[in-house]
Structure formats: C-alpha cells, structure tokens
Amino acid sequence: MASVIHLSKTLLFIFLFSISVLLNAQRGNREGGGTPAMGPGKITGRITDSITRQPLEYASVSLVRKQNDKVIDGTTTDENGFFKIVNLQEGSYKLLVYFIGYKTATKTDIIITEIDHDVNVGEIKLTSLQVKLKEIEVSTEKALIENKIDKLVYNAENDITSQGGVATDILKKVPMVGVDADGNVELQGNPNVRFLINGKPSSVFGNNIADVLQTILAGQIQSIEVITSPGAKYDAEGTGGIINIILKKTEIKGINGNVSLTGGTRLQNGSFNLAARKGKIGINMFISGNAQLSASTLNSMKRTTFDTATGNSSILYQNGSSDFTRTGYQGGMSFDWSPTESNNFIGGFTYNNRTNTNKGTTNRQSVLQDGSGTILSDVINEVIADNISNNNSYDWNLNYKRKFKKEGQELDLQYNSSVSENYSFYLQKQKYITPDSVFSGSQGKNPGSDMQTNISLNYTHPVSEKLVFEGGLKIVLLNINSDSKIFLLDPATGDYSLSDAQSNSVDYSRNVYAGYLSSTFKLKFIDVKLGVRNEYTETNVSFSNGGKANIEPYNTVVPACIVSRSFKKNQTFKLSYSYRIQRPDYRDLNPFVNASDPKNVSTGNSNLKPETTDIVELGYSRFFEKGINLNVNVFYRGRRDDIQGYTRFYPSYQIGDSTYYNVAVSTRENIGAEDNFGMNIFLSASIKRKFTLRSNISLFQRYIYNNIDPGSNISGFNYRANLNLSYQVTSTFIIEVFGNFNSPRLNVQGMQPAFSTYNFALRKQFFNKKMSIAFMATNPFDKYVNQKSETKGVNFETTTLRQLPYRSFGLNLTWKFGKLEFSRRKRDNEDVNLTEPPMQEKDKEGGRGN
C-alpha cells in the first residue's frame, strides 16, 4: 500500500511539473519576442482531405506574419479536423498547413482588425502527395506512420513487403510493437495486449492470439492503431495497451474492389474485396483464405535436475521434430447507412475458421545417477504426439450514431456479440526402442464454446470551443464452457478408457459493468484530456474436479490523463498517465492438468489475482519540411501482482490416479512486481522523393521482483531494432528491404532467445496501377531461425534449442477494379487565395473532381 501511495505522489509531481515546464516554455517564448503580445484576434478553420472530404486529425497549422514571413504561433487539428489560434494582435497573416503524406497548403491575406478580429478561413483541403484524377479513377496515399494525440497509426496499405503475408508480418514493423519468432506480440515489452478489430472486441482473440494473427491477411488490413496509454473511454483490460486492426473498406461512391493472390514456399493466400456505395448506403464484402504449408521444426532439450532428498540427479535429453500446418478462411460483410445527415447506422457480420495440425516424434533419453556420478539407470524411448485444433467464430455488430445541431454533440449506441466454437484433440504414445513396444499413451478431446456480448452507450457534449465532455456506460458479458475428456491407454489390450480423475469440465462467466467520464479542454496553451473509468467485475468459475473457485467481486477505478502542447516548427510534446488491469482468464485459472507431454505438463492456478499496471509516457514528435519525421517516446510501466509463467520440477507428480516421474510442471503465478523503463525512437526520411528510410528502435531496462523465490530478483537490458529501406525506381516500380533484430530478454526464471529476420520485396504496377505483381523473400539465406533459451529453478536447469523454419519466397498478384462516381458541384465559399495542387486531368464535364 505504501508503494502505491508513493507512486501516486510521484505521478502527481510529474504531472504538475510537466504543466509548469510547458507554461514556462510558452512564457519564455513570449518574453523573448518569439510571439507578439496577446490580442483579441482569433483564426479558426477546418482541414480535410481534398478527395474524400474526411477530416485530417493532428494536421499542423503554422501562423506566419506576412510582413517578415516569420512563424509566430501554431496548433494542430482535433479529431474533426478543426483548429483554432487565439490571442492575436491586429495585422496581416498567412497560414501554412502541413500533414504527413500531403502537399503543403497556404492560406494568404488573413487580416485581423479591431472590428473584424474573428476570422474563419473555412475548409482547407489538402491533396495527397500521390493523387491521380482521371475520368473514373481516384487513388490517394497516406503516410505510412501517423502520430496522433492519443494513438499511433500504421497505414498498412503502403507496406509492400508485407502485402503477401499476414497480420504478424505487418506488426513487426509497427513502432513500439514487438513480435517474436512464434508470432507472440508485445507492446512496449508487455505481452498483455488487448486486440480489437475495427474498434470492437472479438471472441476469436480468446484463443491463441498468435494463431489468430496468422490467419488475418495483410492484404485485408487498412491500418493498425497502437494505443499505449488508453483514455477513460477504452476498456481497462490489457496492461500492455490496445492494438486495433482496421480492415479495409471504402467510403467513395461507385463499385470497386480488388483481388489478391499469393503463392509461396511457406505461405499461400488469396482474398477478394468488393465495395459499393450509392446515395446514402454503402456495402463492403470480403472473403479470404490462407494456408501455412507443412514445415518441420527441430527441437532439442537438456534438463538437469536434483533430488535433495536422495542426493540423486537426472539428465533428460530430448531430440525430435514436429510438422506443422495451418489452414483458414474468413468472410464477412458490413453496411453503412445514413438515412439523414443526423442519423447513421453501421452493421456487419464476420465468420472465421481456423485449423492447426502438429505431428511430431521425439527421441528421449533419461539418465539417473547418484551423488558420486554412478549411473543408476539409462532409459531410451520414443514419444509420438499428434495435436489438432479447430476454431469457428462468428461476429456481428450494429451501431447507431445520432448527431445533433450543435457541432460535435453526438450520441453513440453500440452492440456487438461474438461466438466461438472450439475443438482440440491430442494423441500421444510412448514406446521403447528395443524391444519395440508401447508402454504408455493417452488421448484428449476438448470441445468448448466462448460467447461475448458488449453493449455500450457514449455521449459527447461540447460546452464550448475549449471544453468538451464525454461520458458513457458499458456492459461486457462473457461466458465460456469447456469439456476435457482424457482417455488412457491399456498397453495390454491397446484400448483407451476414460479417466474420470484426469478429465475435467469448466463453466466460466465474467460480467464487467463500466462507466466513464472524461473532458477535453485547453489550459492556457496546452491541450488536456482528463478522465476516470470505473469497472465492477463479477466472476464465477466452477470445475468438475476442482469445485467452485472463490472469486469475490471487485471494483477498479481507472484514471487517465493526456497533456499535449504544440510548438512552432511542427513540434509536439505529450505527457500521459493511465492505469490498466489484466484479469486472469479461464485458462489461467483452470486447475486441469495437461499431460500430453508426460515430462512437461501444464496446469492453471485458481488463486490468481488480477495484474495491474501504472503507465507514464512522455512523447515528442516533429515533422520537418524536407520529409523527415521523428517520434520519441519515453515510458515507465509498473506492474503489480505480475502474472507470469512459472515452472517447478518434481521427482514424482500425481495426476488423478496416475503417477508421473521427473516432471516439470508449468503454471501461472502472481510472481510479484515488475518495473520497466524504456524508450522508443521512430525516424523516417525521404531523400529526393526516391529513397525512403525508416527505422524503429526500442530500448528497455527491466526489473523483476520475485516474491515466490525471495532473493531471486533479476534485472536486465534488452532492445530491438529494425530498418526499412525503399527505392522508387520509377512511378510504377519500387524495391524494398526490411531487417529486424530482437536481443535476448530476461524473464523471471531465465532468458528468452534472440532472433533476427530480413525481407526483400519488389513491386511492379501495370495498367494505370490497377494491377501489380510483387515478389517477396524472407530470410532467403537462412533456412532456420535458431532459438536457444534457458530456464532455471530451485532444483533444475533446462536448455532448449528450437530451429524454426523461416525461409520463404512468394509471388503476389493484385488487381483493382471498379468505376468510381464523382459529381460536379459548386464549392461553397471557395477562396482563390487557398493554393491547391493542379489536377492532372479533368473529368468528362470539364470540371475538377470533388
């Protein structure tokens, strides 16, 4: 409790100190003559995309005094594209508007007088750096990275080296995100990430997240949003933060779509997208399928154990291989209907199917020796194991949004639900090599279901231009049923019989009732967003072999704060604080023992408590006129009741009516506390509009305080870095190279392995960029990614080596089709002083497309 109070005081001090620094910085600018004295003048306006007319959030607006072209003030746009610059003296000014991936726009002849001191410049439309208007074709391209006030956006559509792959391939390149060789994702070093699809939760993520991400095609993804310090509006679940995967859709009138096919040595996939929009309604549909071809992973392990009671030690050697395949397909459709300007309905349905198969054989040698080194026994045997899992999930949603007459005032009602049907099966046999005979075996069948429903109501009320309130209520209903049947082999008869002692069923339900209130306001020269969320959690769990878990309801108060200040020269500072919670799920709590590998079993822990995390971040971003973008993020993450995997060794271990010998048992524990200090640096630069460089570097210092094994506290430094180089040979031909390295990382009992990957890609476009062919290569000079890891406990040491097949080559073909419709209409209050890039061609009617 004392540490929590101390941390709260520290955070309050940081918050107040940062506000003081920002205010003093502004005061220094004014005293130094950088900004004129305050006056009554005010300039307002809105920044939008010239084609889609959608607002551009976080565009930079610089105010220049016309007489000397000196920048004297600036700001950024809000989520609706609006901006405001206040306290201006009388005089003549002009505006410069910047946004990454768009051409700079200039608004001149802005005059503030004593009588006319409130100037509204209207809508300023920015044009993409790559805009081509033809008779029926429009294409725009955003910057790859957009750093907004509360999130970072990675526009996956512009990433050519990943287009033939899956979601995991894109996530490797996203700043602050780490992906290991198995596809497990971390955000700023924390694996407890909350995943959303189009801003909504899905039961499909209740399964193995790494597997799910391998079935979402990169070609289906429009962008990925990374939210490391979520505001009060977001669910508190996920101590690592939130990753929101936005799937492709279109808001442009007409019928259009694309077909993408990828053939490769390791991955094969295909997708079809179709979008249609007419009048007030739009429909998007997609279907896709993918397959990871059979590949063999090599495994070896050496485990040395000590029996303090007898003084004996044993060494277990394992060498083997396993063949893994994955297949899946997805499909869905969504609609967007606006019967009036004030009312909007959005709905959709998605189906996802996934099947994994893993078959392997392992040669095992067990050597037992006494304290003097004399060998007491030496047993060699073979283990054959087959694992199959299948998942079918269904997601549907319906949203209603009501806009009121007052700008920014709206009501948002959301309903979404998902059902996941799961089935897994394993079969394992152990047999002696000489003579060739089976002496043990088991099989398990595990059907289950997962249903989740979310209902939320959100309301936004702008009190004034400087003050906006938001509030809402949400209910999350989760129910999981799982039935595990274990059958043991009778070697004499070859029959399998049900083991009631080892079988288990679980009925798990968790209801979360939440409400939040937040406000956005200006405090002199800084933007502030404050909020608090309250979540009340009820959990009920019962196990057929473990009875009912006693989990008392608990309440969680979740504060959040973001302070942002924009300076001249397109610079922005951001300070944020958030509090997060990670509730143990049913797999963590389930006491069922999985003995599919009799020497390495796993089980849950029904006594787990929720993990909580305090997150403090300080961010700086700057966009240079010459195409250089810099983002620096410094953070602290303090985890309490830290949940991690923990392994213990037992000379003998009882599971139901069976006894297993020399067994490592892995479970989940609240190991204690963990402090993480880190920095993320992202840099992108364009050189002569031909050569583009992007680099992402993450540095972490990790401290783990082990309450299970006092005196075993550890600390360590780890890092990861990637580099992306692209060269635009011609307007239709591009070459790209990507490399990634992750250093070794310490955990509570050992070390996770280092690994590196590298990719090459080139893409050629044809037929006015409607068709493209891309060639991709991953680790072409290395067949395997070698992963060596170590685990140490009180009486054991384990070293493992996994050789994961990673080399692959692929060829992708993409075809875009469709006819877009544009109507010619008069522009309201068009200002000839607003510079707009010239269009290459006119439409049939001789006017410019809108």
Side-chain angles (χ1 to χ4, degrees):
M1 184 64 183
S3 62
V4 174
I5 295 175
H6 175 72
L7 178 60
S8 300
K9 291 181 178 178
T10 303
L11 295 174
L12 179 60
F13 171 77
I14 292 174
F15 175 69
L16 295 176
F17 175 76
S18 300
I19 291 179
S20 175
V21 170
L22 293 172
L23 293 177
N24 287 333
Q26 175 64 26
R27 188 178 300 112
N29 284 339
R30 292 188 178 276
E31 293 174 354
T35 304
M38 294 184 184
K42 179 174 69 172
I43 299 174
T44 58
R46 193 183 192 210
I47 311 301
T48 63
D49 184 288
S50 64
I51 301 299
T52 67
R53 304 296 291 272
Q54 294 298 306
L56 297 178
E57 180 185 4
Y58 221 51
S60 296
V61 182
S62 295
L63 182 66
V64 178
R65 185 174 288 281
K66 196 171 182 182
Q67 64 186 25
N68 55 14
D69 282 339
K70 186 174 182 179
V71 177
I72 60 171
D73 205 347
T75 186
T76 57
T77 55
D78 61 18
E79 62 183 6
N80 295 312
F82 291 101
F83 71 89
K84 177 173 56 179
I85 303 175
V86 297
N87 302 322
L88 299 175
Q89 284 189 314
E90 298 176 17
S92 298
Y93 302 92
K94 65 179 178 179
L95 291 173
L96 299 177
V97 184
Y98 310 92
F99 195 68
I100 301 173
Y102 287 78
K103 293 183 179 181
T104 300
T106 304
K107 177 76 172 179
T108 61
D109 295 334
I110 301 173
I111 301 175
I112 294 177
T113 66
E114 182 179 358
I115 298 176
D116 188 9
H117 52 77
D118 286 351
V119 178
N120 187 335
V121 299
E123 183 180 359
I124 299 177
K125 295 176 281 294
L126 299 190
T127 304
S128 169
L129 288 174
Q130 295 189 20
V131 174
K132 185 175 183 182
L133 280 182
K134 278 201 168 181
E135 182 176 307
I136 55 173
E137 177 187 353
V138 174
S139 63
T140 63
E141 186 171 330
K142 292 184 178 180
L144 187 66
I145 301 289
E146 295 179 78
N147 190 10
K148 301 187 178 183
I149 189 170
D150 61 345
K151 60 191 173 185
L152 181 143
V153 181
Y154 186 89
N155 291 307
E157 291 178 301
N158 302 346
D159 183 351
I160 70 164
T161 58
S162 302
Q163 286 306 300
V166 293
T168 305
D169 298 313
I170 295 179
L171 285 167
K172 293 175 184 177
K173 302 181 181 181
V174 178
M176 296 179 287
V177 176
V179 182
D180 67 17
D182 295 309
N184 300 303
V185 178
E186 292 182 346
L187 187 52
Q188 291 185 338
N190 191 319
N192 297 321
V193 180
R194 171 79 161 171
F195 276 90
L196 305 175
I197 295 181
N198 293 332
K200 303 173 182 63
S202 172
S203 63
V204 69
F205 288 120
N207 299 278
N208 188 310
I209 292 178
D211 283 344
V212 174
L213 295 174
Q214 293 282 345
T215 62
I216 300 175
L217 301 189
Q220 298 290 120
I221 299 174
Q222 175 176 305
S223 62
I224 293 178
E225 298 178 349
V226 176
I227 308 168
T228 54
S229 293
K233 186 175 182 178
Y234 295 96
D235 292 341
E237 184 75 19
T239 54
I242 297 173
I243 293 179
N244 184 22
I245 298 175
I246 306 296
L247 301 181
K248 287 182 178 179
K249 64 178 182 179
T250 183
E251 297 179 354
I252 302 176
K253 293 181 180 180
I255 299 175
N256 63 96
N258 66 76
V259 178
S260 178
L261 299 173
T262 301
T265 59
R266 192 166 65 98
L267 291 174
Q268 295 184 350
N269 58 61
S271 65
F272 172 76
N273 294 267
L274 180 65
R277 179 170 288 273
K278 182 72 174 179
K280 299 178 180 180
I281 190 167
I283 297 176
N284 289 265
M285 295 176 286
F286 80 93
I287 185 170
S288 64
N290 66 90
Q292 180 172 326
L293 305 182
S294 180
S296 182
T297 299
L298 307 181
N299 303 278
S300 63
M301 182 190 78
K302 178 184 177 182
R303 185 172 71 209
T304 304
T305 58
F306 312 94
D307 188 343
T308 55
T310 63
N312 295 339
S313 63
S314 63
I315 303 176
L316 175 65
Y317 299 95
Q318 289 189 169
N319 289 280
S321 64
S322 59
D323 295 327
F324 178 81
T325 59
R326 176 190 291 113
T327 58
Y329 55 91
Q330 306 82 35
M333 68 174 297
S334 62
F335 73 90
D336 183 337
W337 177 45
S338 299
T340 67
E341 292 185 0
S342 301
N343 296 279
N344 175 252
F345 294 88
I346 298 176
F349 173 82
T350 303
Y351 171 72
N352 187 299
N353 175 275
R354 184 180 70 257
T355 301
N356 296 345
T357 303
N358 196 351
K359 297 182 179 182
T361 301
T362 302
N363 294 315
R364 176 181 293 161
Q365 180 181 10
S366 302
V367 179
L368 179 65
Q369 56 189 21
D370 61 18
S372 64
T374 302
I375 295 178
L376 303 178
S377 66
D378 188 350
V379 180
I380 298 176
N381 62 315
E382 184 180 70
V383 181
I384 303 172
D386 294 346
N387 290 271
I388 301 174
S389 64
N390 176 263
N391 169 265
N392 293 278
S393 62
Y394 312 82
D395 294 75
W396 58 95
N397 66 86
L398 180 62
N399 300 346
Y400 167 69
K401 180 175 289 189
R402 164 71 176 178
K403 293 185 178 181
F404 299 90
K405 292 183 179 180
K406 190 172 186 179
E407 183 70 34
Q409 183 183 6
E410 62 182 36
L411 182 71
D412 190 7
L413 177 61
Q414 299 185 11
Y415 166 83
N416 67 279
S417 188
S418 60
V419 174
S420 181
E421 297 175 350
N422 314 297
Y423 178 78
S424 62
F425 170 82
Y426 82 83
L427 171 66
Q428 67 88 9
K429 293 182 180 180
Q430 301 181 70
K431 69 176 184 177
Y432 295 114
I433 305 279
T434 306
D436 186 356
S437 61
V438 175
F439 66 89
S440 178
S442 65
Q443 61 177 249
K445 299 178 181 179
N446 183 202
S449 64
D450 180 342
M451 182 171 183
Q452 181 173 331
T453 299
N454 294 260
I455 303 173
S456 64
L457 178 66
N458 300 287
Y459 175 68
T460 303
H461 186 82
V463 178
S464 66
E465 293 181 349
K466 295 184 178 181
L467 177 61
V468 178
F469 282 104
E470 290 182 277
L473 301 171
K474 186 172 185 178
I475 300 175
V476 181
L477 307 175
L478 175 65
N479 186 265
I480 297 173
N481 293 283
S482 179
D483 187 20
S484 298
K485 299 294 186 183
I486 304 301
F487 301 85
L488 301 180
L489 174 67
D490 183 349
T493 63
D495 297 329
Y496 289 86
S497 58
L498 177 66
S499 172
D500 291 326
Q502 295 193 37
S503 299
N504 185 45
S505 62
V506 57
D507 187 1
Y508 176 91
S509 66
R510 184 176 71 202
N511 299 334
V512 179
Y513 308 94
Y516 79 93
L517 180 66
S518 69
S519 62
T520 304
F521 57 92
K522 277 188 175 293
L523 186 62
K524 289 192 176 180
F525 309 109
I526 61 176
D527 295 315
V528 181
K529 189 166 188 175
L530 288 173
V532 63
R533 185 181 186 89
N534 191 83
E535 294 190 346
Y536 181 78
T537 305
E538 294 179 336
T539 306
N540 294 290
V541 190
S542 60
F543 311 102
S544 62
N545 281 351
K548 185 175 181 179
N550 184 23
I551 302 176
E552 294 293 331
Y554 54 91
N555 196 72
T556 307
V557 179
V558 185
C561 174
I562 300 177
V563 178
S564 177
R565 173 69 171 103
S566 296
F567 296 87
K568 60 183 180 180
K569 297 184 179 180
N570 302 300
Q571 300 180 87
T572 302
F573 282 93
K574 181 179 71 173
L575 176 68
S576 63
Y577 167 76
S578 61
Y579 181 80
R580 308 288 292 167
I581 185 171
Q582 185 70 36
R583 302 174 179 90
D585 63 21
Y586 81 99
R587 286 175 295 270
D588 296 330
L589 299 170
N590 192 351
F592 168 68
V593 179
N594 184 339
S596 57
D597 181 352
K599 296 295 183 182
N600 300 279
V601 305
S602 60
T603 184
N605 179 2
S606 59
N607 296 316
L608 282 176
K609 296 182 292 183
E611 171 187 301
T612 59
T613 297
D614 293 282
I615 305 173
V616 181
E617 293 186 3
L618 178 62
Y620 168 78
S621 65
R622 181 172 182 179
F623 175 63
F624 299 84
E625 292 186 22
K626 294 184 178 181
I628 300 175
N629 184 23
L630 174 66
N631 293 281
V632 180
N633 186 277
V634 181
F635 64 87
Y636 161 76
R637 288 176 173 266
R639 296 164 65 177
R640 302 298 177 257
D641 293 318
D642 188 15
I643 299 176
Q644 290 193 35
Y646 204 83
T647 301
R648 296 177 175 87
F649 173 77
Y650 297 90
S652 62
Y653 190 75
Q654 190 76 23
I655 305 176
D657 52 1
S658 302
T659 302
Y660 295 82
Y661 298 95
N662 298 327
V663 181
V665 180
S666 299
T667 187
R668 303 281 281 171
E669 297 279 3
N670 294 111
I671 60 102
E674 180 178 334
D675 288 328
N676 284 272
F677 299 87
M679 174 185 292
N680 182 266
I681 303 171
F682 173 78
L683 175 68
S684 67
S686 297
I687 303 173
K688 295 183 178 180
R689 304 184 70 174
K690 287 279 188 178
F691 185 80
T692 301
L693 179 149
R694 291 185 294 271
S695 182
N696 183 35
I697 301 172
S698 295
L699 311 171
F700 306 89
Q701 180 66 37
R702 191 179 192 192
Y703 300 89
I704 300 177
Y705 310 100
N706 190 341
N707 291 343
I708 298 176
D709 185 15
S712 299
N713 298 341
I714 62 171
S715 64
F717 177 79
N718 64 284
Y719 63 94
R720 58 175 178 264
N722 62 49
L723 180 66
N724 197 100
L725 303 173
S726 63
Y727 181 68
Q728 191 79 44
V729 182
T730 68
S731 62
T732 59
F733 182 48
I734 188 171
I735 301 174
E736 192 166 299
V737 180
F738 174 76
N740 179 72
F741 176 77
N742 280 31
S743 71
R745 178 183 172 184
L746 294 174
N747 57 35
V748 69
Q749 285 187 293
M751 180 187 68
Q752 295 177 348
F755 73 96
S756 61
T757 60
Y758 51 98
N759 303 72
F760 302 93
L762 53 89
R763 180 178 65 181
K764 174 65 177 176
Q765 294 174 302
F766 305 92
F767 307 118
N768 294 323
K769 298 185 178 181
K770 290 183 178 181
M771 179 179 290
S772 68
I773 297 177
F775 172 78
M776 299 83 64
T778 301
N779 285 32
F781 307 114
D782 298 282
K783 183 176 181 180
Y784 296 102
V785 169
N786 296 320
Q787 294 191 286
K788 184 178 181 180
S789 59
E790 299 176 355
T791 304
K792 296 182 180 180
V794 175
N795 55 349
F796 74 95
E797 294 182 5
T798 303
T799 302
T800 61
L801 175 63
R802 295 176 66 236
Q803 295 179 277
L804 190 66
Y806 224 76
R807 180 167 60 194
S808 67
F809 301 91
L811 192 66
N812 172 261
L813 173 65
T814 299
W815 172 49
K816 299 179 181 179
F817 61 89
K819 182 175 182 179
L820 306 181
E821 301 172 1
F822 296 91
S823 59
R824 184 173 178 265
R825 60 184 178 87
K826 183 178 179 180
R827 300 185 180 189
D828 297 329
N829 301 322
E830 186 170 4
D831 192 330
V832 296
N833 292 322
L834 175 59
T835 61
E836 288 187 287
M839 300 299 173
Q840 292 182 349
E841 295 187 30
K842 297 182 179 181
D843 59 19
K844 284 184 176 181
E845 299 179 40
R848 282 186 286 183
N850 290 316

